[in-house]
Amino acid sequence: MSSLAGVRPLAWQAVRRDRLMLALWTLALVGVCYASAAATESLYPTTAEQVRAAEAINDSPAIVALYGPILDVHSLGELAMTKLTVLYAVILSVLFVILVRRHTRVEEESGRTELVGGTAVGRDAPLVAAVVEAAVVALGIGLLAGLADLGGGLPVAGSLAFGASWAGIGLVAVGVTAVACQLSASARTCAAIAAGAVGVLYLLRAVGDTSAAWVSWLSPFGWSTQLRAWSGPRWWVLVLYVVLAAVLVGVAHLLRQRRDLGSGLLAARPGPADGSPRLGDAVALAVRVHAPSLAVWSCAVAGLAVVFGAIAPGIGDLLDSDPAREMIERLGGVGVLEETLLAAILSILAVVFTCFALTVVGHGGSDEQDGRTEQVLATATSRSRTFAATLVVALGGSLWLLVVAGVGLALGYGQDFGALLGAALAQAPAVWLVAALAALAWAWRSAGTIAGWVLLGLFLTLGQLGELLGLPDWVLGLSPYTHVPAMPVEPFAPAPFTVLTLLTALVLTLAWTRYRTRDIG
Amino acid sequence: MDNVIDVSGLVKTFGRFRALDGLTLQVSAGEVHGFLGPNGAGKSTTIRSLLGLLRVDAGTATVFGKDPWHDAVAIHRRLAYVPGDVALWPNLTGGETVDLLLRMRGEDPAASRRAELLERFALDPTKKGRAYSKGNRQKVALVAAFAADPELLILDEPTSGLDPLMEQVFNECVAEHTARGATVLLSSHILSEVERLADRVTIIREGRTVESGTLDELRHLRRNRIRAELDAPAALDGLPGVHDLVVEGDVVTCSVDAEGLPGLLSALTAAGVRNLTSTPPSLEELFLDAYRTEPVAS
């Protein structure tokens, strides 16, 4: 028992540290549940329309790949929760990757676990405390999501089953991250492993849902659909989540016992004894530091984009009925169906690539807090170069990822090369503006970069909830992503492109004015 | 010769906290200057101001006659800095970091003494930054600083993580650099290290300079501890400059100011001295004296 001493204070401490982040995430996720539940009936007032909409979704392999199929086309709940059952469950699992990693490997890498371990805290306590905290959060968000659906007017059993599926996905993500955090001594590598595992599970389900159904059963995201929450729930599926999560946490515990504090199971390899001659200034340093993660991002994005580009042509072939066509148009906008889907994917990717840019800006802040920036600035490196280095990688890296996405989609789609590349690049100013705002927060003070994530969450929530809640246009317009035209469906719009770019420049100028005159550290 | 570092009346506040409160510091060319103070006295804040990382609220600071806030890059070309707590890039090896820091100072790693220093400090350059212990992280920064020939070395508690053997290597390196004419600002709270290396010392406390001078000058300000065995009792009571007098049979112990020494000696000689020891104050005692908040009752 003594190896578990201290779990309670550690778990409480974790909750205390996370309280703002947890409140914002919960509010956003549960808010989306409520709004989607409440709004769908007014969107499709008659049962016939609901059935048509559901059939339209099932007829499109690309949408099934993205969201999963609708098993019962007569269920209003299942239609209302289309996006939430699988795709938003992926977003939900990101929360648990952040939570568990933050209280295990990040603490270990920073040496705080050692400090805490020197007190009356057992060896297993930090991992157990992180798992307990995250599991309670998963159950809590699941319960609130179910209640939100219920409040939005959906049936009781379905709402609770849906909420349980979110809780289940949360628990599995906790287990996956707990294992990932035992593997490498680097918190960044652990995050990449956990995120990669979530991505693979999502793709497995996409493959299963569009080809062999049994493959979907290999992924917890497939279980969320197969639970059939809205018509005769298979309650036993919930056991699968719990068992998988328990096994993963058990494995993590065993792995933890087999390794020393601060080390990982993947042995650290020695690196080069000499620095490359090109590694000689702040920009080269920033590129070198972020190159491995950018390479992983590029491969993942290229793979995803080619797959989705290849699936896209399926829509047009399968959708010949007018109602279905009308439905798809209503789902995504106007114009050619395939292109609507490509535009939707690009707008999702724009948000995802903003995460990359925010990570880079966040590193600028932590480099400064840890004292690395101080060492760089003590050499013949100017402040402007140090500041620019982070921005070059943040803005340049996200632009590069957009290029990879555009080219990947075009290769998979097999046509419209220029149009798709252009559509991808048109997203850049929105991504840049959010990254620039994060840089402004960083310029304000080194610990400010978290503001970028808060803003991104806010813009995302606005984008998802704004229209459903009937918020005024100017509130919706606060999110830069709403101003990007849905290319290639809509034509390129020079005005928002120019305005967003100019705003980015303005925000960056402000950031620099502040950064050059403030204390470093 | 001009001072390499010239600081006067430096004030820096963080919110309500006054980290530097009129600090003065002069370091002349070619000397090893010990910069002493307890934790939180403002040593690192002073150094970070000298590097142009902090914007000071009042006072003047120059390095090589230039303002560190405005001419940071020009100044930094001529110096090397080792922070008190070295943070490395987790995915860069020690060797890459040494080369990076050298190149960013405009030096060519291949033409430097990098290889020799890696050997002397027994540092494995192929390990990733996250895998180094505190002492080894410090060695990475020390190798980068000592490998080239900067005019000024700013070392902030540079040996706090080193074992005694490596401290010896560090002392040799400092001696080599001063031999070629480099100036060294050495902040520390390890007194023996400063006593061994420093030509002059500045002691600070709560952001103010308490003492400054050569070790000899500082000793002049302090009392020697005298122990004498006498043939006959001497009349020492009330002699100017003599304190803490204790007479036990024929053994006399007391402490004496520099000014009181001649008077004491003649009184002792008059009584007939069989044995006499005089101990100069160690820096330890100077240091404790400088930090004693209350003045010593005499």
Side-chain angles (χ1 to χ4, degrees), chain B residues 204-257:
Chain B
I204 69 164
R205 171 174 175 260
E206 290 175 4
R208 284 170 196 267
T209 305
V210 199
E211 297 278 12
S212 189
T214 65
L215 290 177
D216 285 344
E217 279 167 3
L218 293 188
R219 284 197 186 98
H220 273 290
L221 298 171
R222 291 288 170 262
R223 297 158 185 168
N224 275 344
R225 192 81 192 145
I226 302 283
R227 182 181 179 282
E229 287 172 40
L230 304 178
D231 290 330
L236 303 176
D237 267 330
L239 273 180
V242 174
H243 309 272
D244 310 329
L245 179 67
V246 177
V247 182
E248 280 173 353
D250 53 0
V251 177
V252 171
T253 53
C254 66
S255 41
V256 61
D257 290 344

Short mmCIF file of all heavy atoms in Angstrom, two decimals, chain B residues 204-257:
data_model
loop_
_atom_site.label_atom_id
_atom_site.label_comp_id
_atom_site.label_asym_id
_atom_site.label_seq_id
_atom_site.Cartn_x
_atom_site.Cartn_y
_atom_site.Cartn_z
N ILE B 204 27.75 41.76 -1.92
CA ILE B 204 26.46 42.46 -1.96
C ILE B 204 25.47 41.76 -1.05
O ILE B 204 25.61 40.59 -0.71
CB ILE B 204 25.87 42.54 -3.39
CG1 ILE B 204 25.44 41.17 -3.89
CG2 ILE B 204 26.87 43.16 -4.34
CD1 ILE B 204 24.53 41.24 -5.08
N ARG B 205 24.49 42.54 -0.65
CA ARG B 205 23.44 42.01 0.21
C ARG B 205 22.18 42.81 -0.04
O ARG B 205 22.23 44.03 -0.09
CB ARG B 205 23.89 42.15 1.66
CG ARG B 205 22.83 41.83 2.64
CD ARG B 205 23.40 41.85 4.04
NE ARG B 205 22.33 41.65 4.98
CZ ARG B 205 21.76 42.64 5.66
NH1 ARG B 205 22.18 43.86 5.52
NH2 ARG B 205 20.76 42.37 6.48
N GLU B 206 21.07 42.11 -0.24
CA GLU B 206 19.78 42.75 -0.51
C GLU B 206 19.88 43.84 -1.56
O GLU B 206 19.34 44.93 -1.40
CB GLU B 206 19.19 43.30 0.80
CG GLU B 206 18.74 42.17 1.72
CD GLU B 206 18.24 42.65 3.07
OE1 GLU B 206 18.17 43.88 3.26
OE2 GLU B 206 17.93 41.80 3.90
N GLY B 207 20.61 43.53 -2.63
CA GLY B 207 20.66 44.45 -3.75
C GLY B 207 21.60 45.63 -3.59
O GLY B 207 21.61 46.53 -4.43
N ARG B 208 22.36 45.67 -2.50
CA ARG B 208 23.30 46.77 -2.29
C ARG B 208 24.71 46.22 -2.15
O ARG B 208 24.90 45.13 -1.62
CB ARG B 208 23.00 47.48 -0.97
CG ARG B 208 21.83 48.39 -0.97
CD ARG B 208 21.60 48.78 0.48
NE ARG B 208 20.28 49.34 0.66
CZ ARG B 208 20.04 50.64 0.59
NH1 ARG B 208 21.03 51.48 0.36
NH2 ARG B 208 18.83 51.10 0.77
N THR B 209 25.68 47.05 -2.55
CA THR B 209 27.07 46.66 -2.34
C THR B 209 27.45 46.96 -0.90
O THR B 209 27.27 48.07 -0.42
CB THR B 209 27.97 47.45 -3.29
OG1 THR B 209 27.49 47.24 -4.62
CG2 THR B 209 29.41 46.99 -3.19
N VAL B 210 27.96 45.93 -0.20
CA VAL B 210 28.33 46.13 1.20
C VAL B 210 29.82 46.40 1.31
O VAL B 210 30.26 47.23 2.11
CB VAL B 210 28.00 44.88 2.03
CG1 VAL B 210 27.94 45.24 3.50
CG2 VAL B 210 26.68 44.28 1.60
N GLU B 211 30.62 45.68 0.56
CA GLU B 211 32.07 45.83 0.61
C GLU B 211 32.61 45.67 -0.79
O GLU B 211 32.07 44.91 -1.58
CB GLU B 211 32.71 44.73 1.47
CG GLU B 211 32.31 44.72 2.91
CD GLU B 211 33.10 45.70 3.75
OE1 GLU B 211 33.82 46.58 3.17
OE2 GLU B 211 32.99 45.64 4.96
N SER B 212 33.72 46.34 -1.05
CA SER B 212 34.39 46.11 -2.31
C SER B 212 35.86 46.42 -2.15
O SER B 212 36.21 47.40 -1.49
CB SER B 212 33.79 46.97 -3.42
OG SER B 212 34.32 46.57 -4.64
N GLY B 213 36.71 45.59 -2.72
CA GLY B 213 38.14 45.86 -2.63
C GLY B 213 38.93 44.59 -2.83
O GLY B 213 38.36 43.53 -3.11
N THR B 214 40.27 44.70 -2.72
CA THR B 214 41.08 43.49 -2.79
C THR B 214 40.89 42.76 -1.49
O THR B 214 40.43 43.32 -0.49
CB THR B 214 42.57 43.84 -2.95
OG1 THR B 214 42.99 44.52 -1.77
CG2 THR B 214 42.81 44.74 -4.15
N LEU B 215 41.25 41.48 -1.49
CA LEU B 215 41.11 40.72 -0.26
C LEU B 215 41.92 41.37 0.84
O LEU B 215 41.50 41.43 1.99
CB LEU B 215 41.57 39.28 -0.49
CG LEU B 215 40.63 38.45 -1.38
CD1 LEU B 215 41.21 37.07 -1.60
CD2 LEU B 215 39.26 38.35 -0.73
N ASP B 216 43.12 41.89 0.47
CA ASP B 216 43.98 42.56 1.46
C ASP B 216 43.30 43.78 2.05
O ASP B 216 43.28 43.99 3.25
CB ASP B 216 45.30 42.99 0.82
CG ASP B 216 46.21 41.78 0.62
OD1 ASP B 216 45.91 40.74 1.25
OD2 ASP B 216 47.17 41.88 -0.15
N GLU B 217 42.71 44.58 1.16
CA GLU B 217 42.03 45.79 1.64
C GLU B 217 40.89 45.45 2.59
O GLU B 217 40.70 46.10 3.61
CB GLU B 217 41.45 46.57 0.46
CG GLU B 217 42.46 47.44 -0.26
CD GLU B 217 41.92 47.95 -1.60
OE1 GLU B 217 40.75 47.66 -1.92
OE2 GLU B 217 42.68 48.61 -2.29
N LEU B 218 40.17 44.42 2.24
CA LEU B 218 39.06 44.05 3.11
C LEU B 218 39.58 43.57 4.45
O LEU B 218 38.99 43.83 5.48
CB LEU B 218 38.20 42.96 2.44
CG LEU B 218 37.45 43.41 1.20
CD1 LEU B 218 36.49 42.32 0.75
CD2 LEU B 218 36.68 44.69 1.46
N ARG B 219 40.70 42.87 4.41
CA ARG B 219 41.26 42.38 5.68
C ARG B 219 41.66 43.55 6.58
O ARG B 219 41.54 43.49 7.79
CB ARG B 219 42.48 41.49 5.42
CG ARG B 219 42.06 40.13 4.92
CD ARG B 219 43.16 39.11 5.03
NE ARG B 219 42.72 37.87 4.40
CZ ARG B 219 43.04 37.54 3.16
NH1 ARG B 219 43.83 38.33 2.43
NH2 ARG B 219 42.59 36.43 2.65
N HIS B 220 42.15 44.64 5.95
CA HIS B 220 42.53 45.82 6.72
C HIS B 220 41.36 46.34 7.54
O HIS B 220 41.53 46.90 8.61
CB HIS B 220 43.02 46.93 5.78
CG HIS B 220 44.47 46.81 5.48
ND1 HIS B 220 45.43 47.07 6.43
CD2 HIS B 220 45.12 46.45 4.36
CE1 HIS B 220 46.62 46.87 5.89
NE2 HIS B 220 46.45 46.49 4.64
N LEU B 221 40.18 46.17 6.96
CA LEU B 221 39.00 46.68 7.65
C LEU B 221 38.61 45.79 8.82
O LEU B 221 37.75 46.15 9.59
CB LEU B 221 37.83 46.75 6.67
CG LEU B 221 38.01 47.69 5.49
CD1 LEU B 221 36.87 47.49 4.51
CD2 LEU B 221 38.08 49.12 5.96
N ARG B 222 39.23 44.64 8.89
CA ARG B 222 38.77 43.67 9.87
C ARG B 222 39.80 43.42 10.95
O ARG B 222 40.98 43.73 10.81
CB ARG B 222 38.43 42.37 9.14
CG ARG B 222 37.22 42.51 8.26
CD ARG B 222 35.96 42.60 9.13
NE ARG B 222 34.81 42.98 8.32
CZ ARG B 222 34.34 44.22 8.22
NH1 ARG B 222 34.95 45.21 8.86
NH2 ARG B 222 33.29 44.48 7.50
N ARG B 223 39.33 42.83 12.03
CA ARG B 223 40.21 42.60 13.18
C ARG B 223 40.97 41.29 13.04
O ARG B 223 40.39 40.29 12.62
CB ARG B 223 39.35 42.53 14.44
CG ARG B 223 38.64 43.82 14.70
CD ARG B 223 37.44 43.56 15.58
NE ARG B 223 36.70 44.80 15.72
CZ ARG B 223 35.49 44.87 16.25
NH1 ARG B 223 34.89 43.77 16.66
NH2 ARG B 223 34.89 46.01 16.36
N ASN B 224 42.24 41.35 13.45
CA ASN B 224 42.99 40.11 13.56
C ASN B 224 42.71 39.49 14.91
O ASN B 224 42.49 40.17 15.91
CB ASN B 224 44.48 40.38 13.44
CG ASN B 224 44.90 40.42 11.98
OD1 ASN B 224 44.17 39.97 11.11
ND2 ASN B 224 46.07 40.97 11.73
N ARG B 225 42.76 38.18 14.94
CA ARG B 225 42.57 37.45 16.19
C ARG B 225 43.96 37.19 16.77
O ARG B 225 44.82 36.61 16.11
CB ARG B 225 41.86 36.13 15.88
CG ARG B 225 41.35 35.39 17.08
CD ARG B 225 40.03 35.96 17.53
NE ARG B 225 39.71 35.42 18.85
CZ ARG B 225 39.09 36.09 19.81
NH1 ARG B 225 38.73 37.35 19.60
NH2 ARG B 225 38.82 35.51 20.96
N ILE B 226 44.20 37.67 18.01
CA ILE B 226 45.53 37.56 18.63
C ILE B 226 45.47 36.63 19.83
O ILE B 226 44.52 36.68 20.63
CB ILE B 226 46.01 38.95 19.13
CG1 ILE B 226 46.05 39.98 18.00
CG2 ILE B 226 47.38 38.82 19.81
CD1 ILE B 226 47.23 39.84 17.07
N ARG B 227 46.47 35.74 19.91
CA ARG B 227 46.60 34.90 21.11
C ARG B 227 48.05 34.98 21.56
O ARG B 227 48.97 34.75 20.76
CB ARG B 227 46.23 33.46 20.77
CG ARG B 227 46.28 32.52 21.97
CD ARG B 227 45.92 31.09 21.54
NE ARG B 227 46.00 30.18 22.68
CZ ARG B 227 47.14 29.70 23.18
NH1 ARG B 227 48.30 30.05 22.64
NH2 ARG B 227 47.12 28.86 24.22
N ALA B 228 48.26 35.37 22.81
CA ALA B 228 49.64 35.54 23.29
C ALA B 228 49.83 34.89 24.65
O ALA B 228 48.92 34.88 25.49
CB ALA B 228 49.96 37.04 23.37
N GLU B 229 51.01 34.27 24.81
CA GLU B 229 51.39 33.78 26.15
C GLU B 229 52.39 34.77 26.72
O GLU B 229 53.41 35.07 26.07
CB GLU B 229 52.01 32.39 26.05
CG GLU B 229 50.98 31.31 25.75
CD GLU B 229 51.65 29.97 25.48
OE1 GLU B 229 52.62 29.64 26.19
OE2 GLU B 229 51.20 29.29 24.53
N LEU B 230 52.15 35.26 27.93
CA LEU B 230 52.95 36.36 28.48
C LEU B 230 53.75 35.91 29.71
O LEU B 230 53.39 34.94 30.39
CB LEU B 230 52.03 37.52 28.88
CG LEU B 230 51.14 38.07 27.75
CD1 LEU B 230 50.24 39.18 28.29
CD2 LEU B 230 51.98 38.56 26.59
N ASP B 231 54.86 36.62 29.98
CA ASP B 231 55.66 36.36 31.18
C ASP B 231 54.97 36.95 32.40
O ASP B 231 54.95 36.33 33.47
CB ASP B 231 57.05 37.00 31.04
CG ASP B 231 57.88 36.25 30.01
OD1 ASP B 231 57.65 35.03 29.86
OD2 ASP B 231 58.71 36.89 29.32
N ALA B 232 54.43 38.14 32.21
CA ALA B 232 53.80 38.82 33.34
C ALA B 232 52.48 39.41 32.87
O ALA B 232 52.29 39.64 31.68
CB ALA B 232 54.70 39.95 33.83
N PRO B 233 51.52 39.63 33.77
CA PRO B 233 50.25 40.24 33.38
C PRO B 233 50.49 41.60 32.72
O PRO B 233 51.38 42.35 33.13
CB PRO B 233 49.50 40.41 34.69
CG PRO B 233 50.18 39.50 35.66
CD PRO B 233 51.59 39.37 35.22
N ALA B 234 49.71 41.87 31.67
CA ALA B 234 49.86 43.15 30.99
C ALA B 234 48.59 43.97 31.19
O ALA B 234 47.50 43.39 31.35
CB ALA B 234 50.10 42.93 29.50
N ALA B 235 48.73 45.26 31.15
CA ALA B 235 47.57 46.14 31.29
C ALA B 235 46.99 46.40 29.91
O ALA B 235 47.43 47.32 29.22
CB ALA B 235 47.96 47.43 31.97
N LEU B 236 46.04 45.57 29.52
CA LEU B 236 45.49 45.70 28.17
C LEU B 236 44.11 46.34 28.16
O LEU B 236 43.62 46.75 27.11
CB LEU B 236 45.42 44.32 27.50
CG LEU B 236 46.74 43.56 27.41
CD1 LEU B 236 46.53 42.19 26.81
CD2 LEU B 236 47.76 44.35 26.59
N ASP B 237 43.46 46.36 29.32
CA ASP B 237 42.11 46.92 29.39
C ASP B 237 42.10 48.35 28.92
O ASP B 237 42.96 49.16 29.28
CB ASP B 237 41.62 46.89 30.85
CG ASP B 237 40.83 45.60 31.11
OD1 ASP B 237 40.22 45.10 30.14
OD2 ASP B 237 40.88 45.10 32.25
N GLY B 238 41.11 48.66 28.02
CA GLY B 238 40.95 50.04 27.61
C GLY B 238 41.90 50.48 26.52
O GLY B 238 41.85 51.63 26.10
N LEU B 239 42.74 49.57 26.02
CA LEU B 239 43.60 49.96 24.88
C LEU B 239 42.72 50.23 23.68
O LEU B 239 41.77 49.48 23.41
CB LEU B 239 44.57 48.83 24.54
CG LEU B 239 45.90 48.78 25.30
CD1 LEU B 239 46.72 47.60 24.82
CD2 LEU B 239 46.67 50.08 25.07
N PRO B 240 42.99 51.29 22.90
CA PRO B 240 42.15 51.58 21.73
C PRO B 240 42.25 50.47 20.69
O PRO B 240 43.35 49.95 20.44
CB PRO B 240 42.73 52.90 21.20
CG PRO B 240 44.09 52.99 21.75
CD PRO B 240 44.08 52.27 23.07
N GLY B 241 41.11 50.07 20.13
CA GLY B 241 41.11 49.10 19.03
C GLY B 241 41.17 47.65 19.49
O GLY B 241 41.22 46.75 18.67
N VAL B 242 41.17 47.41 20.78
CA VAL B 242 41.24 46.03 21.26
C VAL B 242 39.86 45.60 21.77
O VAL B 242 39.23 46.33 22.53
CB VAL B 242 42.29 45.91 22.39
CG1 VAL B 242 42.26 44.49 22.99
CG2 VAL B 242 43.67 46.21 21.84
N HIS B 243 39.41 44.42 21.31
CA HIS B 243 38.07 43.97 21.68
C HIS B 243 38.12 42.53 22.18
O HIS B 243 39.09 41.82 21.96
CB HIS B 243 37.14 44.04 20.47
CG HIS B 243 37.14 45.36 19.79
ND1 HIS B 243 36.32 46.40 20.16
CD2 HIS B 243 37.92 45.83 18.77
CE1 HIS B 243 36.56 47.44 19.38
NE2 HIS B 243 37.53 47.12 18.53
N ASP B 244 37.00 42.11 22.80
CA ASP B 244 36.80 40.72 23.22
C ASP B 244 37.99 40.19 24.02
O ASP B 244 38.45 39.06 23.80
CB ASP B 244 36.58 39.79 21.99
CG ASP B 244 35.53 40.34 21.05
OD1 ASP B 244 34.60 41.01 21.55
OD2 ASP B 244 35.65 40.10 19.83
N LEU B 245 38.49 40.98 24.92
CA LEU B 245 39.68 40.60 25.67
C LEU B 245 39.35 39.52 26.70
O LEU B 245 38.41 39.65 27.48
CB LEU B 245 40.26 41.84 26.38
CG LEU B 245 41.50 41.61 27.23
CD1 LEU B 245 42.69 41.25 26.33
CD2 LEU B 245 41.81 42.84 28.04
N VAL B 246 40.13 38.44 26.68
CA VAL B 246 39.97 37.38 27.68
C VAL B 246 41.36 37.06 28.24
O VAL B 246 42.29 36.80 27.47
CB VAL B 246 39.36 36.10 27.06
CG1 VAL B 246 39.29 34.99 28.11
CG2 VAL B 246 37.97 36.39 26.50
N VAL B 247 41.50 37.10 29.56
CA VAL B 247 42.78 36.74 30.18
C VAL B 247 42.57 35.49 31.01
O VAL B 247 41.73 35.46 31.90
CB VAL B 247 43.29 37.90 31.08
CG1 VAL B 247 44.65 37.53 31.68
CG2 VAL B 247 43.36 39.18 30.30
N GLU B 248 43.31 34.42 30.68
CA GLU B 248 43.22 33.18 31.46
C GLU B 248 44.62 32.83 31.93
O GLU B 248 45.42 32.30 31.16
CB GLU B 248 42.67 32.05 30.59
CG GLU B 248 41.16 32.11 30.45
CD GLU B 248 40.65 31.07 29.46
OE1 GLU B 248 41.47 30.41 28.78
OE2 GLU B 248 39.42 30.95 29.34
N GLY B 249 44.95 33.16 33.14
CA GLY B 249 46.30 32.96 33.64
C GLY B 249 47.27 33.81 32.83
O GLY B 249 47.09 35.03 32.72
N ASP B 250 48.25 33.14 32.17
CA ASP B 250 49.20 33.93 31.39
C ASP B 250 48.85 33.95 29.91
O ASP B 250 49.65 34.35 29.09
CB ASP B 250 50.63 33.42 31.62
CG ASP B 250 50.74 31.92 31.36
OD1 ASP B 250 49.69 31.31 31.01
OD2 ASP B 250 51.85 31.38 31.49
N VAL B 251 47.66 33.44 29.54
CA VAL B 251 47.26 33.44 28.13
C VAL B 251 46.22 34.54 27.88
O VAL B 251 45.22 34.63 28.59
CB VAL B 251 46.67 32.08 27.71
CG1 VAL B 251 46.20 32.12 26.27
CG2 VAL B 251 47.72 30.99 27.91
N VAL B 252 46.54 35.36 26.89
CA VAL B 252 45.65 36.46 26.53
C VAL B 252 45.11 36.21 25.14
O VAL B 252 45.87 35.89 24.22
CB VAL B 252 46.42 37.79 26.55
CG1 VAL B 252 45.56 38.91 25.97
CG2 VAL B 252 46.86 38.15 27.95
N THR B 253 43.77 36.31 24.96
CA THR B 253 43.21 36.30 23.60
C THR B 253 42.36 37.55 23.43
O THR B 253 41.69 38.00 24.35
CB THR B 253 42.33 35.07 23.34
OG1 THR B 253 41.36 34.98 24.36
CG2 THR B 253 43.14 33.79 23.28
N CYS B 254 42.47 38.12 22.25
CA CYS B 254 41.64 39.28 21.94
C CYS B 254 41.59 39.47 20.44
O CYS B 254 42.32 38.81 19.69
CB CYS B 254 42.21 40.54 22.59
SG CYS B 254 43.80 41.00 21.91
N SER B 255 40.69 40.35 19.97
CA SER B 255 40.75 40.73 18.56
C SER B 255 41.12 42.20 18.50
O SER B 255 40.82 42.97 19.42
CB SER B 255 39.43 40.44 17.86
OG SER B 255 38.35 40.79 18.67
N VAL B 256 41.78 42.58 17.40
CA VAL B 256 42.32 43.93 17.35
C VAL B 256 42.14 44.53 15.96
O VAL B 256 42.32 43.85 14.95
CB VAL B 256 43.81 43.93 17.76
CG1 VAL B 256 44.64 43.05 16.81
CG2 VAL B 256 44.36 45.34 17.80
N ASP B 257 41.77 45.82 15.93
CA ASP B 257 41.67 46.56 14.67
C ASP B 257 43.07 46.81 14.12
O ASP B 257 44.05 46.76 14.86
CB ASP B 257 41.05 47.93 14.92
CG ASP B 257 39.58 47.81 15.28
OD1 ASP B 257 39.02 46.74 15.03
OD2 ASP B 257 39.03 48.80 15.82
#
